[in-house]
Amino acid sequence: MAGGVSSRTGNPSNLILRLILPLYLPTFLFSLGQGILLPTLPLFAHSFGVSFTLVTVAIGIQGVGTLAASVPAGFVIARAGGRPVMIAGSGIVALSSLALPFAGLFPLLVAYRFVGGVGAALWTISRFAFIAASVPVDQRGRVSALFGGVSRAGMFAGPIVGGVLAQGPGMRVALLASALAAFGALAVAAVFIKRESAARPLMGGGLILGALVKAVRESPAELTSASTAQLFIQLLRGGRTTLLPLFGSFAIGLDVDTLGIIIGASALIDMVLFYPAGFIMDRFGRKFASVPAFVILTAGMVLVSVAVDATSLFIAAAVMSLGNGLGSGSMMTLGADLAPPEARGEFLGFWRLIGDSGSTGGPLLVGGMADLWGFEAAAIAVAGFGLAAVITLAFFVPETLRYETRAQRGPEP
């Protein structure tokens, strides 16, 4: 399904140029649509007159849909191929986003978000399968790094676009713009991804239980501590994306366009640090990058708790983006390092399930804590997840760069 991309392209620049239309452009459009929802969806959900707990349900339920669909998506890709799954995923997201501004009842809003999560799972896993089938192993790192950068570019531009549209033409126009971006991703993918690949998808649908049990028995402390760190970090990240717009809107009283600029501008810091983060991990070690990164991210969350205006909230958001950018790709790299060679793809599927659980649980916890204790206390509690992650990474998780080099764990699946 490489859309004219050879699996043996020698020049990385030529390969990247060939991937612009089938990979990078639809990825940017999809991320743009998701980014538009960041400052607008919390306010739209709150307009139904529900509690902050239910607002975060509307935000986090997409992650539940993604969790529910991830394993079935792997089976569907194995049978139908990546191209139809990619098209179906973007189409589901586009249609569910189109339905959002017409949701007359809050339960309908939640249902549309859940369906969108199913589509996001199909889209995301098919994207990984596309890279695995189309890109040689020795160039996959550069392609993946740019893939992450393009995704972050969409998440940078999206909140700014969403904030401006919501403040000007209105909230429903902003939500329609999100749907339009998803339809754009659908159209580009449908036109420029031509051929199917028989290569095995990057992430299988099931787990090789025996191999995973063996891996746990061989290094139970390392896998337990790494999985714990993964959960805490994704709770921190999920809480960050939810708490920032809610804190700005309801604790400080910022309007939606100001909030969109704050989220988008801070995302620019996150975006430009993506490639340096990968260099640090590969040159100096995984912990050398991840421990300082999550210390900074946690400190930024503490700053959110004492923010009183747009300037102080932007400083807090910028600090969090600095930490998040320096930690880009760190947990997926850690999972790949720890994965047993005979079940690497399956292990990464389980690893992703842990991370997605944190990403989904973070918004729900933020809403509940905000209703019970207020936004300031919720920010401190989320920072507690970050502190737990830092302690676990620093003292209980091994440096896997040295371990991988020594063990030579075998080829990629």
Side-chain angles (χ1 to χ4, degrees), residues 78-171:
R79 288 159 176 75
R83 183 177 184 271
V85 174
M86 193 182 304
I87 292 171
S90 56
I92 291 171
V93 171
L95 290 173
S96 63
S97 299
L98 183 63
L100 287 178
F102 304 106
L105 299 172
F106 184 76
L108 285 177
L109 176 67
V110 173
Y112 296 151
R113 289 286 292 166
F114 179 87
V115 172
V118 173
L122 297 173
W123 170 267
T124 301
I125 296 178
S126 63
R127 297 270 88 185
F128 284 127
F130 180 92
I131 293 175
S134 306
V135 180
V137 173
D138 62 341
Q139 298 178 27
R140 197 170 292 158
R142 280 163 288 191
V143 169
S144 298
L146 185 54
F147 173 81
V150 168
S151 298
R152 289 165 186 261
M155 296 302 289
F156 158 70
I160 298 175
V161 173
V164 170
L165 289 176
Q167 190 68 23
M171 189 72 67

Side-chain angles (χ1 to χ4, degrees), residues 57 80 82 124 135 158 170 204 251 291 299 301 317 361 363 381 385:
V57 167
T124 301
V135 180
V291 172
M301 182 57 67
F385 297 141

Side-chain angles (χ1 to χ4, degrees), residues 31 35-36 38-39 148-160 240-241 244 259-274 313-326 328:
S31 297
I36 289 172
L38 285 179
V150 168
S151 298
R152 289 165 186 261
M155 296 302 289
F156 158 70
I160 298 175
R240 163 186 174 248
T241 57
L244 189 62
L259 189 58
I261 292 172
I262 289 174
I263 295 174
S266 61
L268 179 61
I269 301 172
D270 195 327
M271 180 177 64
V272 299
L273 289 173
F274 183 85
L313 187 65
F314 172 72
I315 292 172
V319 171
M320 288 194 295
S321 292
L322 174 63
N324 199 55
L326 289 174
S328 296

Side-chain angles (χ1 to χ4, degrees), residues 25-27 29-30 90 94 123 177-191:
L25 180 56
T27 297
L29 291 171
F30 189 88
S90 56
W123 170 267
S178 173
L180 181 63
F183 277 116
L186 165 64
V188 174
V191 170

Side-chain angles (χ1 to χ4, degrees), residues 198-390:
R200 181 178 180 269
L202 181 63
M203 296 176 64
L207 301 174
I208 301 178
L209 183 59
L212 293 178
V213 170
K214 179 183 176 183
V216 171
R217 286 176 177 173
E218 290 178 349
S219 53
E222 290 85 352
L223 292 178
T224 300
S225 58
S227 298
T228 301
Q230 161 80 326
L231 179 63
F232 281 134
I233 285 166
Q234 302 309 334
L235 282 168
L236 171 64
R237 284 172 159 169
R240 163 186 174 248
T241 57
T242 302
L243 184 61
L244 189 62
L246 289 176
F247 194 97
S249 296
F250 301 108
I252 300 178
L254 301 179
D255 53 40
V256 67
D257 58 338
T258 300
L259 189 58
I261 292 172
I262 289 174
I263 295 174
S266 61
L268 179 61
I269 301 172
D270 195 327
M271 180 177 64
V272 299
L273 289 173
F274 183 85
Y275 190 80
F279 173 81
I280 293 172
M281 280 191 290
D282 288 340
R283 180 67 175 83
F284 300 104
R286 315 311 192 202
K287 293 172 70 170
F288 193 92
S290 60
V291 172
F294 295 120
V295 168
I296 296 171
L297 180 52
T298 301
M301 182 57 67
V302 173
L303 290 177
V304 170
S305 70
V306 296
V308 295
D309 54 21
T311 300
S312 55
L313 187 65
F314 172 72
I315 292 172
V319 171
M320 288 194 295
S321 292
L322 174 63
N324 199 55
L326 289 174
S328 296
S330 59
M331 299 315 293
M332 183 54 68
T333 302
L334 177 62
D337 289 347
L338 293 171
E342 64 272 25
R344 182 164 290 174
E346 291 76 13
F347 179 91
L348 290 177
F350 175 71
W351 184 255
R352 177 172 173 166
L353 178 65
I354 295 172
D356 285 347
S357 298
S359 300
T360 303
L364 301 179
L365 289 173
V366 163
M369 291 184 293
D371 278 333
L372 288 174
W373 308 318
F375 288 107
E376 293 82 1
I380 294 296
V382 173
F385 297 141
L387 179 60
V390 168

